[in-house]
């Protein structure tokens, strides 16, 4: 479609009919909510002439402004809603950049690098911001609860690195990607919902209720740890077969 003048409706219809299958490990919010919001954003960005890298930059602005507010604003119902909205918008724009690339005929190595670089930054920095925000603004200061965001940061970073490394090693040996498409099911996606980054974003609606937030946040961290423990065993077995 690159080089053609198209309407928003045409761009949206093209994206809707050309969606790739979701990865077997893709959780429900990312597949059934975030991708669809991203499709709306992608069609708008395309008719505006924005490049995938510009869309990635928009995603980063939303995400890192939301992260900064975790530290800057005292927890309240309205600050939690604002933070959640910014993080969710950033996540949706993150889905949109790849869709814009498909509308334009394909992405680039530089664009893929930028997308992954921003993802790696947000996954680690988000939880460190939670640590600082809890320490600065809540009664949890100097309690063991502050170990939860510290652990969550490590878990998220290691999981993301493991997925990228799996794909890199498999691609170098012409094997199927860890994120092979078309193998996901609704049941599997629903079971994996607690590991969804979108759910992590949503939990900030509880930011003004410190007790509720830290309990739900800790449960999500535990789910992420369980997923990493199980996935790492499977990934290692897959590497041994290459």
């Amino acid at each position: 479609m690159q080089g053609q003048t198209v309407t928003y409706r045409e761009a949206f219809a093209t994206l809707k009919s050309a969606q790739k299958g979701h990865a077997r490990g893709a959780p429900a919010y990312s597949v059934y909510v975030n991708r669809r919001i991203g499709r709306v954003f992608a069609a708008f960005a395309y008719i505006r002439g924005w490049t995938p890298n510009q869309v990635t930059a928009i995603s980063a602005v939303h995400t890192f402004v939301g992260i900064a507010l975790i530290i800057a604003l005292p927890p309240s119902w309205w600050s939690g809603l604002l933070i959640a909205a910014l993080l969710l918008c950033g996540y949706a724009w993150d889905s949109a950049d790849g869709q814009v690339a498909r509308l334009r005929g394909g992405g680039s190595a530089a664009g893929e690098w930028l997308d992954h670089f921003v993802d790696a930054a947000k996954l680690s920095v988000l939880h460190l911001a939670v640590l600082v925000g809890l320490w600065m603004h809540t009664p949890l200061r100097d309690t063991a609860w502050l170990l939860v965001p510290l652990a969550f940061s490590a878990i998220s970073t290691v999981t993301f690195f493991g997925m990228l490394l799996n794909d890199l090693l498999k691609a170098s040996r012409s094997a199927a990607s860890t994120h092979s498409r078309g193998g996901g099911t609704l049941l599997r996606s629903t079971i994996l919902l607690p590991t969804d980054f979108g759910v992590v974003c949503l939990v900030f609606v509880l930011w003004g209720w410190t007790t509720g937030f830290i309990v739900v946040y800790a449960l999500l961290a535990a789910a992420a740890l369980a997923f990493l423990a199980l996935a790492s065993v499977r990934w290692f077995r897959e590497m041994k077969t290459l």
Side-chain angles (χ1 to χ4, degrees):
M1 294 180 65
Q2 191 170 7
Q4 302 177 18
T5 300
V6 299
T7 65
Y8 172 86
R9 185 184 298 273
E10 290 170 336
F12 184 84
T14 299
L15 281 173
K16 186 175 181 179
S17 63
Q19 288 297 307
K20 57 187 178 181
H22 62 272
R24 294 182 68 248
Y29 180 90
S30 294
V31 174
Y32 301 108
V33 179
N34 194 63
R35 182 184 291 183
R36 294 177 182 181
I37 299 173
R39 189 186 310 157
V40 174
F41 288 175
F44 174 79
Y46 181 77
I47 65 171
R48 298 287 296 181
W50 296 348
T51 67
N53 287 352
Q54 288 175 315
V55 174
T56 300
I58 293 170
S59 170
V61 169
H62 280 85
T63 298
F64 290 107
V65 169
I67 290 173
L69 293 183
I70 295 172
I71 298 174
L73 296 179
S76 66
W77 68 266
W78 66 266
S79 66
L81 289 176
L82 178 59
I83 291 165
L86 285 167
L87 293 176
L88 289 169
C89 282
Y91 192 34
W93 280 111
D94 183 39
S95 173
D97 57 10
Q99 299 189 59
V100 171
R102 289 202 296 279
L103 279 173
R104 292 169 61 91
S108 65
E112 186 173 1
W113 179 90
L114 180 63
D115 184 35
H116 290 330
F117 186 86
V118 171
D119 285 344
K122 76 180 181 186
L123 287 172
S124 56
V125 174
L126 172 63
H127 300 294
L128 297 180
V130 172
L131 171 63
V132 176
L134 292 174
W135 185 83
M136 289 179 61
H137 302 300
T138 75
L140 299 181
R141 178 172 181 155
D142 298 330
T143 69
W145 283 110
L146 297 186
L147 295 174
V148 176
L150 191 63
F152 213 158
S153 178
I155 294 164
S156 298
T157 302
V158 172
T159 301
F160 185 67
F161 174 78
M163 290 179 175
L164 290 183
L165 185 59
N166 289 344
D167 286 349
L168 177 64
L169 292 174
K170 288 184 175 183
S172 69
R173 291 161 175 79
S174 300
S177 168
T178 300
H179 299 292
S180 55
R181 304 288 168 175
T185 64
L186 177 59
L187 177 60
R188 183 185 180 91
S189 294
T190 303
I191 292 173
L192 292 172
L193 191 59
T195 68
D196 200 315
F197 182 75
V199 175
V200 176
C201 298
L202 281 170
V203 78
F204 283 94
V205 300
L206 301 175
W207 186 236
W209 178 30
T210 301
T211 301
F213 172 84
I214 195 61
V215 169
V216 176
Y217 181 80
L219 290 173
L220 293 180
L225 179 60
F227 172 81
L228 177 59
L230 294 172
S232 61
V233 173
R234 180 171 62 85
W235 293 341
F236 183 70
R237 290 174 178 170
E238 290 176 351
M239 293 303 110
K240 291 176 68 175
T241 66
L242 295 181

